[in-house]
Amino acid sequence: MDTKEPRPAESRPHTGRRRNEAVRRAILDAALDLIADADGAPVTVETIARAAGVGKQTLYRWWPSKGAVLLDALTDYAAQEVPTPDTGSLRDDLRALTTATFEASQRAPSAPALRTLVREAARDPHLAELMRNFTESRRAAVRGILQRGRERGELPADRDVDLLVDQFYGFFWYRFLLGHAPLDRATADRLTESLLR
């Protein structure tokens, strides 16, 4: 009779339920690059998976839809390229965020990706909802800066913070989509002063 204790089963490699950060990064980068280069061609789960070098089941395991992947990619890119400053000065924080927003919107892959997503959102209600979620996350960054400034007494208590946020992004989207005037550092300075006047 064998009295040896049974050996524990060897641990199996992880099946992929947890996100591998390198794979996640490859998927987000591929999604953003594809939407930036789409020029009207459809971006699908299959094309994202192929470009990232993964199976489409990996995307569906981590995101419920193509739109969710695109939203995550855009949100992640915006967080990296346009971090929310907190220097202790309302004017400095607002100027830094405005400058970073304008500069990021002029570079690839952000500029063509945003234009493509806005165009597609006009035809796709699900993508339109995702774009609202993305823009709300960016609005929250501006709102946070303004509210901190109000708490420090740098912004009068009677100023309508949401109206200021609308003015900030109304200005940005108007110039970004129509391209009739620059979104440069000098413009960021003027908009900052105008909002705080």
Coordinates of all heavy atoms in Angstrom, one line a residue, residues 7 9 36 55 61 75 107 113 142 163 182 188 190 193:
R7 N 0.8 14.4 -4.2 CA 1.5 15.6 -4.5 C 0.4 16.7 -4.9 O -0.5 16.3 -5.6 CB 2.5 15.4 -5.7 CG 3.7 14.6 -5.2 CD 4.7 14.4 -6.3 NE 4.4 15.1 -7.6 CZ 5.1 14.9 -8.7 NH1 6.1 14.0 -8.7 NH2 4.8 15.5 -9.7
A9 N -1.4 19.3 -7.1 CA -1.4 19.5 -8.5 C -0.6 20.8 -8.9 O -0.6 21.8 -8.1 CB -2.9 19.7 -9.0
A36 N -7.9 56.3 -35.7 CA -7.3 57.5 -36.3 C -7.0 57.4 -37.8 O -7.1 58.4 -38.5 CB -5.9 57.7 -35.6
G55 N -6.7 37.3 -29.9 CA -8.0 36.8 -30.3 C -9.1 37.8 -29.9 O -9.0 38.4 -28.9
R61 N -13.7 39.5 -23.5 CA -13.6 39.1 -22.1 C -13.4 40.4 -21.2 O -13.9 40.4 -20.1 CB -12.4 38.2 -21.9 CG -12.2 37.6 -20.5 CD -11.0 36.7 -20.4 NE -11.1 35.6 -21.4 CZ -10.0 35.4 -22.2 NH1 -8.9 36.0 -22.2 NH2 -10.1 34.4 -23.1
T75 N -10.0 57.5 -23.4 CA -10.0 58.0 -22.0 C -8.5 57.8 -21.5 O -8.0 58.7 -20.8 CB -11.0 57.3 -21.1 OG1 -12.3 57.5 -21.7 CG2 -11.0 57.8 -19.7
R107 N -2.4 66.6 -32.3 CA -1.4 65.5 -32.6 C -2.2 64.2 -32.9 O -3.3 64.0 -32.5 CB -0.5 65.2 -31.4 CG 0.4 66.3 -31.0 CD 1.4 65.8 -30.0 NE 0.8 65.4 -28.8 CZ 0.7 66.1 -27.7 NH1 1.0 67.4 -27.7 NH2 0.1 65.6 -26.6
A113 N -8.6 60.6 -34.4 CA -9.5 59.7 -33.7 C -10.7 60.4 -33.2 O -11.8 60.0 -33.3 CB -8.7 59.0 -32.5
V142 N -12.0 69.8 -15.7 CA -12.1 71.3 -15.7 C -12.9 71.7 -14.5 O -12.6 72.6 -13.7 CB -12.8 71.8 -17.0 CG1 -12.9 73.3 -16.9 CG2 -11.9 71.4 -18.2
L163 N -21.4 76.5 -16.2 CA -21.4 77.4 -17.4 C -20.0 77.7 -17.9 O -19.7 77.7 -19.1 CB -22.1 78.7 -17.1 CG -22.2 79.7 -18.2 CD1 -23.0 79.1 -19.4 CD2 -22.9 81.0 -17.7
P182 N -6.9 79.0 -34.6 CA -6.0 78.1 -33.9 C -6.4 77.7 -32.5 O -7.1 78.4 -31.8 CB -4.7 78.9 -33.9 CG -5.1 80.3 -33.9 CD -6.4 80.4 -34.8
A188 N -4.8 79.4 -25.7 CA -5.1 78.8 -24.3 C -4.9 79.9 -23.2 O -5.8 80.0 -22.3 CB -4.1 77.7 -24.1
R190 N -5.4 83.2 -23.6 CA -6.5 84.1 -23.8 C -7.8 83.5 -23.2 O -8.6 84.2 -22.6 CB -6.7 84.6 -25.2 CG -5.6 85.5 -25.7 CD -6.0 86.3 -27.0 NE -6.5 85.4 -28.0 CZ -5.7 84.8 -28.9 NH1 -4.4 84.9 -28.8 NH2 -6.2 84.0 -29.9
E193 N -7.7 83.6 -19.4 CA -8.0 84.9 -18.8 C -9.5 85.3 -19.0 O -10.1 85.9 -18.1 CB -7.1 85.9 -19.5 CG -5.6 85.8 -19.1 CD -5.4 85.7 -17.6 OE1 -6.0 86.5 -16.9 OE2 -4.5 84.9 -17.2

